[in-house]
Amino acid sequence: MPIAVPLPVDLSGIRLDARQGLARQLYERLRERILDGRLQGGTRLPASRDLAALLGISRNTVTRAFDQLYAEGYIAGRVGDGTYVAELSTAPRAAPPVPVRAAAGEALSRLAAHHLKHPLSGPPRAFRVGVPAFDLFPFQTWARLSARFWRKPSPARLGYGDPAGDWQLRELIAAYLRNSRGLHCDPAQVIVTCGAQQAISLCAQLLVEPGDRVAIENPGYRAAGHAFAVAGAQLAGIPLDAEGLDTAALERAGDCRLVYVTPSHQYPTGVTLSLARRLELLDWAERHDGWIVEDDYDGEYRYSGTPLAPLAALDRQGRVLYVGTFCKIAFPALRLGYLVLPPALVEPFARRRALDMRHSEIGTQAVMAEFIAAGHFQRHIRRMRAAARSRRDALLAGWPVDIPGCAPMPAVEAGLHLCVRVAGLARERQLIAAADKAGVELTGLSSYWLPGDEPPVDNRAGLVLGFAAVPEAEIAKALAALRKAWRL
């Protein structure tokens, strides 16, 4: 069936046989034109809806063909800016062009050389960062709910699921965020992910093109920088002060496409982004047509006062993507998180996620939905918050005073970790090495800085301690071991 209506690009001569797979045929015809140069790199393709109407086929058929071309690196798209032919130099490739891969590789090499660390495995010990009190998780309740689901699962849930996630779980996540965080969203805006890291990676894949500048907190969460570097981003480290991300420095950083922030409890310094800075950040996104990825990784843990509204709850322009996770309330092995997206982004994000993973495992989603619906989740949050507060208090009360070269303990009003400044990298290394020999796990603040953009040595050293991973008795033992190791 030839195209009879003029198009912004020359796609004349495309014929599709209705007796064969239409999506496959369209993919092959477009691929041929890209490879032989009739569709040159940088050419903007018609929107899927327009192309479907002109070809007399369904939009889903065009979408499937585009998805295959995207997966193989023949086309690329920026959300809200259309779909373009990728820059290909010679033969067909199943991956992005070599310059893009080289740029990402260079960024990854710099990060890896600068202490890009994977989360530590094995049983938790004091003072591991990023680990909640999963010794308190109601595993018997979870096992009972899981057995109930798998005893007689609904046939409707045993086929291929929605790439965006189980609808019941999405409804419950939306209700939870409305009640607990003041974030009003439709369940259709929620996409279930395999933890926060996958959510961040999706943001990098869909919102960033090679060469785009991405602003990240400095010091900050290195795995987020990793995800954006893989997408080919140029990372711009933005400094912090007592109010959080320095928005004036963000303005000076130039033309950034996106900024990644942890406003509720900055990782790793622990500072909370002030309301004034939140409003400035939203204003920046509107003026620069930029995106904000808000990672609320431990927002449930607030020990005094009322938590500030998330950026997503203040957003009126559809510029904030909100990342949440169940792993900091349940346990890290659960690998269950979610994204709350502006409505216009839901479909492209769900389609992109389906290319990597058709959908999340249904059992975990269904059991979590029942866990929330039956009230177990809310009770568990209260229990976890109380436990984290008690363990925080045990650490603050027992921490040695007057440690040479070490600042006093800060006030800790939120989160699962704290940060103590240290006078110089040499002293940081001494304290960590002695603690390690005593069986106590400490993390150096120096490892969280963006490579090549560090402040003077004396300003980037410190100790980052997680206080929720083990009970108070083990915290006391670890503190006694530190006193002995540090000869206090």
Side-chain angles (χ1 to χ4, degrees), residues 19 101 201 228 260 293 404 469:
R19 295 169 297 179
R101 297 176 64 182
S201 294
F228 292 115
Y260 167 85
V293 176

Side-chain angles (χ1 to χ4, degrees), residues 126-197:
F127 294 97
R128 182 167 298 176
V129 177
V131 179
F134 58 75
D135 54 304
L136 301 180
F137 188 76
F139 290 103
Q140 290 186 341
T141 300
W142 187 268
R144 185 175 69 253
L145 296 176
S146 182
R148 181 190 301 170
F149 172 79
W150 288 114
R151 193 174 297 120
K152 194 175 181 181
S154 166
R157 278 177 148 174
L158 295 182
Y160 288 108
D162 188 334
D166 180 71
W167 180 254
Q168 182 185 6
L169 179 57
R170 293 162 72 191
E171 286 184 313
L172 290 163
I173 290 172
Y176 165 70
L177 292 174
R178 181 172 60 252
N179 295 328
S180 69
R181 307 293 282 125
L183 172 53
H184 293 264
C185 63
D186 190 277
Q189 294 176 250
V190 178
I191 288 185
V192 179
T193 63
C194 295
Q197 188 62 33

Side-chain angles (χ1 to χ4, degrees), residues 18 62 103 137 143 160 184 210 266 286 321 333 348 352 387 395 431 456 475:
V62 177
F137 188 76
Y160 288 108
H184 293 264
Q266 201 275 333
E286 182 179 356
L321 296 86
R352 182 64 186 89
L395 173 57
L431 293 171
I475 289 175

